[in-house]
């Protein structure tokens, strides 16, 4: 059966030159309406659409170059990785989609300005930056929508990291995945803020992929998720377009908690949130009763992210002095 993303790469590679040195950057992103569950695991197609905000300078810097030593090399944050690591093998497997058996040894050098595998979406920025760098290195002239389609094969959330700002990944319907890629929203919201409240920035115990597959396979609550998540995504997109912060924040927080509820009902349960994550949520909810306009969202990790507007920034950083504030529309 055909796979649109793989076909696109094969066709583009017919005219490709030998790889040259090419560097790219992609921001990480936080979903305000989450992707959780695949309808097709081999093509990495989602059961529901999702919508995110990109994290400006928090992301991945990746360079792809021909390897002078004649063998593949992958380094992360200044350290050359053992080729047996999952990180190196996943990056090279992705590069193989482009090389398709050709003897083109590559040097992949990447640096994350976010913690790796901690629920801060390094897979999103990592595969988006790698897609951009590989397309550049092989001199492929592909559109950003096509790069988003290809990045999906590395990680679903990477579809959205091709752009800054608000981005929607439409789940698509086609069996070959040809309509499952992301699109940026033409919305600029200079006062929009994100804060990361670090709880645990070490690697998590289950990857997002394993967590979502296990939830789909075993959670009796999952049946309710795809339709609800689709409705949440449409509503959140409308609220982003209207710049209705309260309605957006309430729905985004509810969407994240519903996703975590599906995992807690999995058998055995998965809980990425720790007591510290819940303590942050309790503190936020108490402050909200006293008028603070900020909402939380959590992914496959213990860290909590807050969204708020510029006028609430001092209150947020007073309540959470450890908060790292991101300005997504700074430049
Ligand atoms: P996270 O919450 O950080 O996305 P995941 O476990 O979902 O955690 O994904 C982490 C995986 O993403 C890594 O093991 C690696 O395979 C991939 N990844 C992270 N950063 C990069 C990068 N800069 N380049 C290529 N792949 C990356
Ligand atoms: C909870 O994109 O990491 O962050 O497609 O299997 O690589 P794979 O999963 P991934 O999952 C992200 C899950 C999430 C929600 C989201 O970012 O939409």
């Amino acid at each position: 059966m055909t796979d649109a993303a793989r076909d696109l790469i094969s066709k583009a590679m017919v005219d490709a030159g030998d790889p040259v040195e090419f560097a790219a950057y992609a921001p990480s992103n936080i979903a305000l309406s989450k992707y959780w569950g695949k309808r097709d695991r081999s093509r990495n197609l989602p059961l529901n659409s999702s919508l995110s905000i990109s994290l400006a300078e928090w992301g991945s810097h990746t360079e792809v170059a021909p390897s002078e030593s004649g063998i593949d090399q992958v380094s992360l944050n200044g350290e050359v990785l053992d080729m047996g690591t999952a990180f190196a093998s996943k990056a090279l497997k992705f590069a193989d989609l482009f090389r398709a058996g050709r003897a083109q040894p590559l040097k992949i050098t990447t640096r994350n300005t976010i913690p790796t595998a901690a629920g801060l979406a390094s897979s999103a920025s990592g595969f988006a930056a790698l897609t951009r760098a590989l397309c550049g290195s092989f001199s492929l002239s592909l559109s950003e929508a096509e790069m988003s389609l290809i990045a999906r094969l590395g990680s679903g959330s990477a579809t959205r990291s091709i752009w800054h700002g608000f981005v929607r990944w439409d789940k698509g319907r086609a069996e070959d995945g040809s309509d499952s890629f992301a699109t940026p929203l033409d919305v600029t919201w200079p006062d929009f803020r994100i804060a990361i409240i670090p709880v645990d920035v070490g690697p998590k115990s289950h990857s997002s992929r394993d967590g979502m597959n296990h939830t789909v396979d075993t959670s009796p609550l999952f049946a309710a998720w795809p339709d609800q998540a689709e409705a949440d995504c449409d509503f959140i997109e409308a609220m982003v377009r209207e710049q209705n912060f309260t309605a957006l924040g309430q729905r985004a927080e509810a969407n994240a908690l519903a996703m975590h509820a599906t995992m807690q009902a999995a058998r055995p349960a998965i809980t990425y949130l720790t007591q510290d994550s819940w303590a942050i949520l309790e503190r936020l909810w108490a402050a909200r009763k006293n008028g603070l306009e900020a909402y939380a969202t959590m992914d496959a990790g213990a860290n909590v992210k807050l969204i708020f507007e510029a006028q609430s920034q001092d209150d947020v950083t007073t309540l959470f002095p450890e908060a790292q504030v991101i300005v997504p529309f700074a430049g």
Side-chain angles (χ1 to χ4, degrees):
M1 204 179 296
T2 57
D3 178 326
R6 284 184 170 81
D7 288 353
L8 182 61
I9 301 172
S10 312
K11 279 193 195 119
M13 286 299 291
V14 169
D15 302 322
D18 282 334
V20 296
E21 190 176 306
F22 193 92
Y25 172 75
S28 182
N29 73 74
I30 298 293
L32 302 175
S33 183
K34 310 291 185 189
Y35 146 54
W36 196 246
K38 301 172 199 284
R39 67 173 190 277
D40 180 329
R41 291 181 190 180
S42 72
R43 297 186 186 83
N44 215 21
L45 297 173
L47 276 160
N48 64 276
S49 305
S50 54
L51 190 149
S52 61
I53 177 77
S54 288
L55 300 186
E57 73 276 14
W58 287 48
S60 304
H61 295 267
T62 301
E63 188 184 281
V64 169
S67 169
E68 277 152 24
S69 68
I71 49 168
D72 287 334
Q73 184 184 303
V74 179
S75 49
L76 169 65
N77 298 337
E79 200 187 313
V80 177
L81 299 179
D82 190 297
M83 286 302 111
T85 57
F87 189 106
S89 65
K90 279 199 263 173
L92 290 170
K93 199 170 154 216
F94 192 74
D96 286 342
L97 293 167
F98 291 72
R99 297 187 286 195
R102 281 178 289 268
Q104 287 167 322
L106 294 175
K107 193 169 152 197
I108 300 175
T109 309
T110 186
R111 183 167 62 84
N112 286 341
T113 57
I114 35 158
T116 303
L120 293 170
S122 68
S123 61
S125 56
F127 282 105
L130 186 55
T131 301
R132 280 191 176 280
L134 283 163
C135 289
S137 175
F138 286 106
S139 313
L140 309 184
S141 44
L142 294 175
S143 68
E144 288 184 314
E146 288 171 324
M147 285 195 246
S148 172
L149 192 88
I150 291 169
R152 194 192 70 232
L153 294 178
S155 185
S157 49
T159 54
R160 305 182 308 239
S161 273
I162 295 293
W163 295 274
H164 285 277
F166 294 103
V167 182
R168 178 180 167 125
W169 173 20
D170 216 73
K171 68 185 168 88
R173 290 179 192 283
E175 231 179 286
D176 68 353
S178 52
D179 54 358
S180 189
F181 56 89
T183 311
L185 268 59
D186 186 18
V187 173
T188 303
W189 194 334
D191 281 349
F192 200 91
R193 297 285 181 275
I194 303 154
I196 311 280
I197 318 290
V199 172
D200 179 356
V201 292
K204 57 204 188 192
S205 50
H206 315 273
S207 68
S208 323
R209 182 160 301 185
D210 292 347
M212 77 172 78
N213 288 343
H214 176 66
T215 305
V216 173
D217 290 342
T218 70
S219 172
L221 295 193
F222 188 77
W225 169 261
D227 286 349
Q228 182 61 51
E230 202 62 29
D232 287 349
C233 190
D234 290 345
F235 182 82
I236 287 172
E237 178 178 346
M239 293 308 102
V240 167
R241 291 191 186 283
E242 274 180 29
Q243 306 207 356
N244 180 337
F245 183 73
T246 304
L248 159 61
Q250 286 173 346
R251 194 69 166 251
E253 187 174 293
N255 175 272
L257 288 167
M259 177 185 76
H260 284 275
T262 67
M263 309 178 201
Q264 290 196 355
R267 300 177 182 187
I270 309 173
T271 46
Y272 288 106
L273 304 180
T274 64
Q275 282 188 354
D276 289 341
S277 320
W278 286 109
I280 289 166
L281 289 172
E282 297 288 353
R283 231 187 316 160
L284 170 70
W285 293 336
R288 214 154 63 208
K289 278 195 186 140
N290 293 323
L292 177 68
E293 178 87 81
Y295 299 90
T297 184
M298 297 76 61
D299 292 283
N303 302 302
V304 178
K305 297 98 182 189
L306 302 184
I307 55 170
F308 50 95
E309 289 185 289
Q311 70 265 24
S312 305
Q313 186 161 330
D314 288 347
D315 291 339
V316 167
T317 51
T318 303
L319 187 64
F320 298 106
E322 68 278 37
Q324 294 177 275
V325 176
I326 297 167
V327 183
F329 296 97

